[in-house]
């Protein structure tokens, strides 16, 4: 069983030299990424993992900018970091075109040479961000960007000092039983409930919704959680929350708006099997002290 665990445990790939740089519409050549250990330079970094998201990315960014530029929204300095996770479409070109259109917006693109998985893309973006607070958000626009203010306020309540590590995550648990979930296919709902039962069985069910792609970290929490992160697949969210639990980092779970968007990259059967395997590997590695 131990040999099987070692064989199934993912090997963390070191970044290529080009993956330590970012592209922007204002620079003629790739620029070196900052480090998460550097002092914060902006109020908020928005990290967007993107794999073949050329068609869905523009509307998501429009929604984000409409909220951030609204008169009622507190004024913050913001950077957007789109992490192209080895896309085979024009995701990078579309992101750079959007950067040239939004002249007063700091939009950076990190291009991964090979597909790492959503966790690997988010990790690359967070480690190269400059924000005092760092928001992870999906490129599909399924989450309502305006709910950032609720996550922000909950984080502020727990942030005793600038050095206090705090996480505030969006939750769709309150939507179970509503049309947003009921109208999904029976297979998706069956797998969702099965996944939650598995989480509780393995002792990681303290968060009602681990998989919502709308999570806010302050910089101390990002340092504590993303540098030791091992999983780069869909289940990286669960490892982040386990790491937070081990380090007594408070996690506020905040109800947010959500709607299903066509074009999901999730393959129901194969990815569900992969998630279960990753969950068992994750729990075993931490239980045995390998991680």
């Amino acid at each position: 069983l131990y040999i099987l665990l070692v064989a199934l445990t993912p090997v963390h790939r070191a970044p290529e030299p080009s993956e330590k740089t970012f592209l922007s519409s204002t620079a003629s050549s790739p620029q070196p990424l900052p480090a998460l250990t550097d002092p914060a330079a902006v109020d908020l970094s928005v990290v967007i993992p993107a794999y073949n998201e050329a068609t869905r990315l523009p509307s998501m960014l429009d929604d984000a900018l409409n909220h951030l530029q609204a008169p009622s929204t507190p004024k913050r300095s913001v950077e957007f970091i789109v992490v192209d996770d080895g896309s085979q479409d024009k995701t990078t070109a579309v992101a750079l075109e959007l950067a040239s259109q939004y002249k007063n917006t700091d939009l950076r693109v990190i291009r991964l040479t090979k597909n790492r998985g959503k966790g690997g893309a988010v990790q690359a973006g967070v480690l190269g961000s400059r924000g005092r607070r760092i928001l992870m958000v999906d490129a599909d626009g399924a989450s309502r960007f305006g709910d950032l203010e609720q996550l922000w306020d909950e984080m502020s309540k727990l942030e005793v000092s600038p050095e206090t590590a705090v996480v505030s995550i969006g939750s769709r648990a309150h939507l179970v039983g509503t049309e947003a979930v009921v109208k999904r296919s029976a297979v998706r709902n069956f797998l969702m409930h099965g996944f939650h039962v598995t989480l509780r069985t393995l002792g990681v069910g303290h968060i009602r919704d681990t998989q919502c792609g709308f999570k806010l970290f302050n910089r101390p929490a990002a340092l504590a959680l993303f540098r030791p992160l091992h999983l780069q697949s869909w289940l990286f969210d669960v490892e982040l929350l386990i790491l937070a639990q081990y380090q007594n980092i408070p996690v506020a779970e905040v109800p947010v708006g959500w709607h299903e968007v066509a074009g999901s990259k999730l393959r129901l059967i194969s990815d569900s099997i992969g998630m279960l395997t990753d969950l068992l590997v994750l729990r075993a590695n931490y239980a045995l002290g390998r991680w």
Side-chain angles (χ1 to χ4, degrees), residues 15-37:
E16 300 288 339
S18 64
E19 297 174 344
K20 298 179 181 180
T21 64
F22 69 89
L23 304 170
S24 72
S25 62
T26 57
S28 58
S29 61
Q31 301 297 306
L33 281 169
L36 193 59
T37 51

Side-chain angles (χ1 to χ4, degrees), residues 60-174:
M60 178 267 151
L61 281 171
D62 280 341
D63 179 44
L65 287 169
N66 286 337
H67 170 72
L68 292 170
Q69 296 173 358
S72 59
T73 301
K75 299 305 176 186
R76 307 181 182 106
S77 53
V78 182
E79 67 173 0
F80 288 88
I81 302 174
V82 176
V83 185
D84 183 344
D85 190 19
S87 296
Q88 299 174 5
D89 66 356
K90 297 181 179 180
T91 293
T92 290
V94 167
L96 290 173
E97 175 61 27
L98 291 169
S100 65
Q101 292 177 17
Y102 305 135
K103 305 242 180 239
N104 298 322
T105 302
D106 186 355
L107 195 157
R108 303 177 171 199
V109 180
I110 300 173
R111 168 76 176 171
L112 304 183
T113 57
K114 295 181 181 178
N115 178 260
R116 289 194 198 177
K118 183 179 177 182
V122 173
Q123 185 181 39
V126 171
L127 294 180
S129 63
R130 301 178 296 152
R132 294 179 181 84
R133 294 182 177 181
I134 303 163
L135 178 70
M136 176 194 96
V137 59
D138 289 342
D140 60 5
S143 299
R144 188 171 56 206
F145 199 90
D147 287 333
L148 165 66
E149 303 312 319
Q150 299 180 56
L151 270 64
W152 195 280
D153 291 343
E154 288 299 317
M155 176 170 285
S156 297
K157 293 176 184 177
L158 297 172
E159 203 173 47
V160 179
S161 71
E163 292 75 32
T164 305
V166 181
V167 180
S168 184
I169 67 173
S171 174
R172 302 159 297 181
H174 65 293

Side-chain angles (χ1 to χ4, degrees), residues 86-269:
S87 296
Q88 299 174 5
D89 66 356
K90 297 181 179 180
T91 293
T92 290
V94 167
L96 290 173
E97 175 61 27
L98 291 169
S100 65
Q101 292 177 17
Y102 305 135
K103 305 242 180 239
N104 298 322
T105 302
D106 186 355
L107 195 157
R108 303 177 171 199
V109 180
I110 300 173
R111 168 76 176 171
L112 304 183
T113 57
K114 295 181 181 178
N115 178 260
R116 289 194 198 177
K118 183 179 177 182
V122 173
Q123 185 181 39
V126 171
L127 294 180
S129 63
R130 301 178 296 152
R132 294 179 181 84
R133 294 182 177 181
I134 303 163
L135 178 70
M136 176 194 96
V137 59
D138 289 342
D140 60 5
S143 299
R144 188 171 56 206
F145 199 90
D147 287 333
L148 165 66
E149 303 312 319
Q150 299 180 56
L151 270 64
W152 195 280
D153 291 343
E154 288 299 317
M155 176 170 285
S156 297
K157 293 176 184 177
L158 297 172
E159 203 173 47
V160 179
S161 71
E163 292 75 32
T164 305
V166 181
V167 180
S168 184
I169 67 173
S171 174
R172 302 159 297 181
H174 65 293
L175 295 174
V176 174
T178 66
E179 286 191 359
V181 173
V182 170
K183 285 187 175 180
R184 297 196 310 183
S185 69
V187 174
R188 287 182 71 94
N189 284 327
F190 173 77
L191 292 173
M192 176 190 72
H193 290 298
F195 180 70
H196 291 161
V197 169
T198 304
L199 285 175
R200 289 194 293 272
T201 302
L202 294 176
V204 289
H206 59 292
I207 299 294
R208 296 179 66 196
D209 183 5
T210 61
Q211 301 307 112
C212 181
F214 200 66
K215 293 180 171 66
L216 183 67
F217 307 84
N218 67 0
R219 202 166 184 82
L223 279 165
L225 302 178
F226 280 92
R227 288 195 295 178
L229 184 69
H230 297 89
L231 289 183
Q232 300 201 333
S233 58
W234 294 100
L235 217 65
F236 77 102
D237 306 70
V238 176
E239 185 180 3
L240 287 172
L241 296 171
I242 288 176
L243 285 167
Q245 187 179 37
Y246 283 170
Q247 299 180 66
N248 295 316
I249 296 174
V251 178
E253 192 170 6
V254 182
V256 296
W258 178 88
H259 66 283
E260 189 166 11
V261 178
S264 172
K265 305 302 185 298
L266 182 68
R267 298 162 298 181
L268 288 180
I269 303 302

